[in-house]
């Protein structure tokens, strides 16, 4: 098995959607993460990060070379002004892929787990790329509709944001047992390996240094929330 990505993180390449949403902005699906923190490392193009948190609304310009990161609960949306491409680094690998993100659909959808699941899912691998892209845009547009409700007239509605956070917590609650197991197994393995290496070095021994290797990721492109997402999976992982 290949060694894990540093600090139990997950890295992806993201080509942000260029299609325009109903509000006139091109880009990705507004959403928040319930556990994972996220970083954008801009590698090409230009755009903006639109975000909503307890302090209000913010717009952060994005250009090649920029880095920005945000913690769980921040509602964010990548807006593409031309060729925006990112490297995305997520904490807690395994949780983002297991539904850690909650999209900002209208409240009636967020309040009903079955409706949310239906709105969130994309066609399977048997569908054509065009069908999957159309569905991803449709999902994005529904989330943009709910996103607008967080700040009518451009002013944050604190109760709307608090309600979104409550809805998100309720939606992910059934998954927490599995998430705890996923997180704990990765955390324990990394902690044990670090502890063993520190002990070896303290004793003047090389420990695991002889087993160090260079790892090149394989790729698995898919239509994600914000664009064409290529998760960088380590070769040899089970």
């Amino acid at each position: 098995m290949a060694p894990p990505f540093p600090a139990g993180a997950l890295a992806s390449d993201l080509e942000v959607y260029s299609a325009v949403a109903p509000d006139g902005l091109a880009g990705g699906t507004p959403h928040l993460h319930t556990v994972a923190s996220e970083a954008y490392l801009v590698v090409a193009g230009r755009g903006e990060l639109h975000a909503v948190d307890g302090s209000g609304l913010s717009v952060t310009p994005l250009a090649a070379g920029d880095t920005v990161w945000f913690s769980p609960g921040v509602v964010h949306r990548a807006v593409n002004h031309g060729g925006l491409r990112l490297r995305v680094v997520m904490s807690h690998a395994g949780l983002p892929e297991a539904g850690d993100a909650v999209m900002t659909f209208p409240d009636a959808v967020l309040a009903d787990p079955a409706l949310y699941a239906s709105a969130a899912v994309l066609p399977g691998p048997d569908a054509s790329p065009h069908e999957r892209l159309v569905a991803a845009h449709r999902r994005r547009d529904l989330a943009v509709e709910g996103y607008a409700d967080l700040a009518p007239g451009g002013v944050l509605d604190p109760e709307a944001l608090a309600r979104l956070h409550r809805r998100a917590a309720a939606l992910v609650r059934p998954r927490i047992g599995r998430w705890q197991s996923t997180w704990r197994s990765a955390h324990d393995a990394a902690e044990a390996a670090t502890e063993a290496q520190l002990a070896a070095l303290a004793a003047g021994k090389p420990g695991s240094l002889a087993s160090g290797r260079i790892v090149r990721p394989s790729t698995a492109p898919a239509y994600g929330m914000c664009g064409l997402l290529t998760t960088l999976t380590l070769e040899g992982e089970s």
Side-chain angles (χ1 to χ4, degrees):
M1 179 183 293
F5 196 77
L10 172 77
S12 302
D13 183 83
L14 177 65
E15 295 181 34
V16 179
Y17 291 130
S18 59
V20 176
D23 64 352
L25 297 176
T29 304
H31 64 283
L32 62 85
H33 293 278
T34 57
V35 178
S37 295
E38 183 172 13
Y40 284 173
L41 289 73
V42 186
V43 298
R46 58 189 181 88
E48 295 171 336
L49 174 70
H50 289 207
V52 179
D53 60 24
S55 65
L57 284 69
S58 63
V59 175
T60 302
L62 299 175
D66 288 344
T67 299
V68 62
W69 65 89
F70 33 93
S71 52
V74 175
V75 183
H76 52 282
R77 176 188 186 189
V79 174
N80 189 353
H81 291 328
L84 184 60
R85 183 171 176 176
L86 315 169
R87 281 294 170 94
V88 180
V89 179
M90 302 287 306
S91 69
H92 305 309
L95 300 191
E97 307 93 308
D100 161 68
V102 173
M103 289 169 272
T104 59
F105 296 145
D107 188 63
V109 178
L110 292 170
D112 185 325
L115 279 179
Y116 181 88
S118 177
V121 70
L122 295 182
D126 292 339
S128 70
H130 175 72
E131 290 171 327
R132 291 176 61 81
L133 181 60
V134 168
H137 288 162
R138 185 183 307 116
R139 180 176 70 177
R140 185 272 314 270
D141 294 349
L142 184 62
V144 167
E145 180 183 337
Y147 180 76
D149 294 336
L150 297 175
V155 178
L156 173 65
D157 179 347
E159 175 51 35
L161 180 60
R163 182 171 57 246
L164 170 62
H165 288 162
R166 292 194 299 269
R167 300 296 195 203
L171 283 167
V172 303
R173 185 182 181 188
R175 307 170 188 158
I176 299 305
R178 296 192 302 275
W179 288 5
Q180 288 174 327
S181 177
T182 297
W183 171 78
R184 177 55 64 189
S185 61
H187 178 273
D188 287 353
E191 185 177 88
T194 300
E195 185 175 10
Q197 181 63 8
L198 288 172
L201 294 172
K205 300 177 181 179
S208 63
L209 297 183
S211 62
R213 296 292 185 272
I214 295 172
V215 178
R216 179 181 294 275
S218 57
T219 58
Y223 292 106
M225 286 181 291
C226 293
L228 184 62
L229 186 69
T230 303
T231 300
L232 305 179
T233 304
L234 297 184
E235 293 177 351
E237 279 192 325
S238 59

